[in-house]
Amino acid sequence: MLEISGLRKSFDGFVATSDVSLSVARGEIAAVIGPNGAGKSTLFNLITGHIRPDVGTVHLEGRDITGAAPHAICRMGMGRSFQRANIFPKLSVFENVQAALIAHRRAATDLWSASRDIFRAETHQLLASLGLGPQAEVTGGTLSYGNQKQLELGIALAGEPKILLLDEPTAGMSSVETAETIGLLQRIASERELTLLFTEHDMDVVFAIAHKIAVLHQGRIIAVGRPDEVRADPEVRRVYLGEQHA
Ligand SMILES: Nc1ncnc2c1ncn2[C@@H]1O[C@H](COP(=O)(O)OP(=O)(O)OP(=O)(O)O)[C@@H](O)[C@H]1O
Ligand SMILES: [Mg+2]
């Protein structure tokens, strides 16, 4: 589904990503972990076209998407969420997802004169599957942070992605919201046959759902493999995991 090869990016001489290669198979749930500043968000931005790599390539389903614009990459089936929830804070929960459906399907030439009823059933269906049904009429910006992240997921799903990149999907969530989100991600990935690539600081989340884990340290991948392999890797334990996951 996704093939990253030799990605490198520096900012004014500071190397944020160096020789990063990674492949993610269709239907796989893959995690990128690493300490603060390891280069996780930069890597995601390189994959989704928000930053152009200095060197290296990104292929999506065999197509070279290196350097393509984010909206073009999105249209090819790659959705994403951001480290800080990215929603329309003044629109209702319903309108956020409805607008995303309209944008994706190009159903209306003028978004703002669109009928209240366009994609009504689908919007409610998507909100229900995210557990946001009861909040449909709530203003997005007034939701709890956890619910805003769930709404952002709904906006991404409205684009009918084949692969979804989630930058810290449980950041800022309570432990209850985190547990809900893990269940939600697993269910949505299996129902929609989605491929997931996510970053996460919460190791319980990572080890609960990832099939494959890549460990970034100072912009380089120092280990990649199944959770049990990564957990046992001495280099990983040294730089990142510590002994609490012994
Ligand atoms: N636009 C930029 N200009 C300059 N330096 C940048 C830029 N973006 C990122 N960096 C630097 O690159 C390094 C990697 O940052 P990045 O945000 O990718 O890390 P991260 O692994 O996502 O960290 P966190 O866990 O805190 O989210 C950091 O040292 C950061 O300061
Ligand atoms: Mg980050």
Side-chain angles (χ1 to χ4, degrees):
M1 175 60 72
L2 181 68
E3 188 80 48
I4 300 157
S5 180
L7 281 189
R8 179 189 171 87
K9 177 70 195 176
S10 57
F11 298 107
D12 298 325
F14 173 80
V15 180
T17 308
S18 182
D19 196 26
V20 170
S21 299
L22 181 68
S23 60
V24 184
R26 188 180 305 277
E28 196 163 46
I29 300 182
V32 176
I33 64 171
N36 289 115
K40 304 179 297 295
S41 295
T42 302
L43 175 60
F44 274 27
N45 287 329
L46 290 168
I47 297 169
T48 57
H50 291 81
I51 299 177
R52 194 181 278 263
D54 302 330
V55 183
T57 57
V58 181
H59 285 80
L60 177 65
E61 294 187 300
R63 274 170 87 177
D64 189 345
I65 60 165
T66 318
H71 67 86
I73 292 175
C74 181
R75 205 153 271 290
M76 287 179 227
M78 186 183 289
R80 80 168 291 181
S81 74
F82 291 84
Q83 194 162 343
R84 290 197 54 78
N86 198 21
I87 62 166
F88 292 108
K90 301 224 163 113
L91 296 186
S92 73
V93 168
F94 177 91
E95 288 162 343
N96 265 275
V97 170
Q98 182 191 40
L101 281 167
I102 291 170
H104 174 61
R105 305 206 189 154
R106 296 182 172 164
T109 47
D110 179 359
L111 187 64
W112 308 113
S113 70
S115 152
R116 165 87 189 143
D117 286 329
I118 193 165
F119 299 133
R120 187 178 184 78
E122 280 138 303
T123 303
H124 280 303
Q125 206 173 13
L126 191 44
L127 290 176
S129 80
L130 294 163
L132 286 173
Q135 281 114 310
E137 299 309 323
V138 172
T139 305
T142 67
L143 289 174
S144 73
Y145 190 67
N147 283 339
Q148 289 191 28
K149 297 280 279 189
Q150 286 164 347
L151 176 55
E152 191 190 22
L153 184 60
I155 293 169
L157 289 172
E160 300 177 290
K162 301 170 198 160
I163 179 168
L164 204 46
L165 272 69
L166 305 171
D167 197 348
E168 303 201 23
T170 72
M173 289 190 182
S174 68
S175 55
V176 171
E177 287 173 332
T178 297
E180 279 173 11
T181 302
I182 295 171
L184 184 66
L185 287 176
Q186 283 182 309
R187 182 167 54 75
I188 285 172
S190 92
E191 277 172 10
R192 296 174 174 248
E193 297 178 2
L194 257 177
T195 306
L196 286 184
L197 179 63
F198 71 104
T199 70
E200 186 57 64
H201 279 290
D202 185 333
M203 288 303 113
D204 292 333
V205 176
V206 172
F207 284 97
I209 70 173
H211 305 140
K212 178 191 217 165
I213 300 174
V215 185
L216 265 187
H217 181 53
Q218 297 175 352
R220 289 178 178 275
I221 291 193
I222 59 163
V224 56
R226 293 191 314 268
D228 56 314
E229 294 170 328
V230 166
R231 188 183 256 139
D233 187 293
E235 174 77 347
V236 174
R237 299 175 77 97
R238 194 178 63 75
V239 303
Y240 189 60
L241 289 175
E243 291 307 311
Q244 72 269 33
H245 288 276

